[in-house]
Amino acid sequence: DTGVSQDPRHKITKRGQNVTFRCDPISEHNRLYWYRQTLGQGPEFLTYFQNEAQLEKSRLLSDRFSAERPKGSFSTLEIQRTEQGDSAMYLCASSPGQWNGYTFGSGTRLTVV
Amino acid sequence: AQTVTQSQPEMSVQEAETVTLSCTYDTSESDYYLFWYKQPPSRQMILVIRQEAYKQQNATENRFSVNFQKAAKSFSLKISDSQLGDAAMYFCAYPKTGANSKLTFGKGITLSVRP
């Protein structure tokens, strides 16, 4: 499978717990993006990596959120002290270049109870 | 500010008929790309079609075509011979100019296809 993989597909957690999501992009793609999508809305940008460098973070990404992409391969998104408002679909996408568009993963659905 | 507007939250089309989904955007740039994405109920986003702003010719991918009007900043998606599998949410997206080229998405249109 040469697509973008995300793990887990679903995560239910109690408020206050920490969660970590993983994204494996297409291996040839040096650009990796994280988005958040709530029901009935379009995806909202969270952060962007080019290779291992995190080049942009949205104001949506509070200090409880952190993302990494060690060695420019897979990426992780961690949410500390989860809140009910964090419940959403977290989408990862990768791209080979500026104008190529994205290939998305299937997303991780987070439910905070 | 760069924004993408999809003003129709829902649309419905009869199977085999044609439907047009509207999108407008706001930009001060002259050279850019525009994208339409499809998100079926399984939730994985799929790139449907891409339009290069410097090309006057509208992009076409099989049953999907674009009506791109640069001056009006309009980017509509036409789906011909609609099929049941076309039922999904459709998002128009515009990339921020610059090295990061992050996409800004509209709110989406839910398309239903009647058999």
Side-chain angles (χ1 to χ4, degrees):
Chain A
D1 186 6
T2 57
V4 177
S5 299
Q6 290 189 247
D7 184 69
R9 292 292 302 274
H10 303 274
K11 178 70 176 179
I12 301 174
T13 191
K14 292 184 177 180
R15 186 162 52 96
Q17 296 295 306
N18 298 345
V19 294
T20 299
F21 310 142
R22 177 181 171 120
C23 171
D24 287 89
I26 292 173
S27 58
E28 305 85 49
H29 291 183
N30 62 347
R31 296 166 181 254
L32 186 146
Y33 302 82
W34 284 98
Y35 279 75
R36 181 171 67 187
Q37 185 180 25
T38 53
L39 196 62
Q41 299 296 315
E44 295 176 298
F45 171 78
L46 292 179
T47 190
Y48 160 66
F49 289 86
Q50 185 161 340
N51 299 311
E52 68 275 9
Q54 187 175 20
L55 297 185
E56 187 172 352
K57 293 171 59 174
S58 165
R59 285 190 292 267
L60 292 174
L61 217 63
S62 75
D63 57 4
R64 296 184 298 106
F65 288 70
S66 63
E68 295 181 341
R69 191 183 182 196
K71 301 179 182 178
S73 56
F74 70 92
S75 176
T76 58
L77 178 68
E78 180 183 17
I79 308 174
Q80 296 182 327
R81 305 181 304 280
T82 52
E83 302 173 355
Q84 286 189 324
D86 297 332
S87 296
M89 176 74 82
Y90 289 84
L91 297 170
C92 177
S94 69
S95 174
Q98 185 174 0
W99 303 120
N100 296 81
Y102 298 168
T103 300
F104 280 90
S106 297
T108 294
R109 177 172 294 285
L110 173 65
T111 303
V112 182
V113 298
Chain B
Q2 295 163 330
T3 60
V4 179
T5 302
Q6 295 180 258
S7 57
Q8 309 153 303
E10 296 179 355
M11 290 199 71
S12 180
V13 64
Q14 189 75 35
E15 194 176 6
E17 297 294 311
T18 295
V19 64
T20 298
L21 311 181
S22 301
C23 173
T24 59
Y25 60 95
D26 184 25
T27 182
S28 57
E29 303 297 327
S30 60
D31 189 15
Y32 50 89
Y33 285 65
L34 292 159
F35 302 87
W36 276 98
Y37 281 85
K38 171 184 178 181
Q39 190 174 39
S42 65
R43 308 287 285 184
Q44 185 162 14
M45 302 269 284
I46 304 166
L47 178 62
V48 175
I49 200 164
R50 180 182 73 164
Q51 174 74 43
E52 299 162 61
Y54 62 88
K55 287 190 176 179
Q56 293 186 344
Q57 184 175 6
N58 289 324
T60 300
E61 291 286 345
N62 300 314
R63 297 183 295 106
F64 297 87
S65 61
V66 162
N67 182 4
F68 175 52
Q69 298 181 16
K70 191 173 182 179
K73 297 179 183 176
S74 172
F75 181 56
S76 299
L77 177 68
K78 186 171 81 171
I79 306 174
S80 304
D81 185 25
S82 296
Q83 300 175 0
L84 295 178
D86 294 333
M89 282 198 77
Y90 287 83
F91 295 95
C92 175
Y94 169 81
K96 174 185 174 182
T97 302
N100 293 350
S101 63
K102 68 184 184 192
L103 291 180
T104 298
F105 290 82
K107 290 187 175 183
I109 299 172
T110 299
L111 177 67
S112 58
V113 181
R114 304 186 303 276

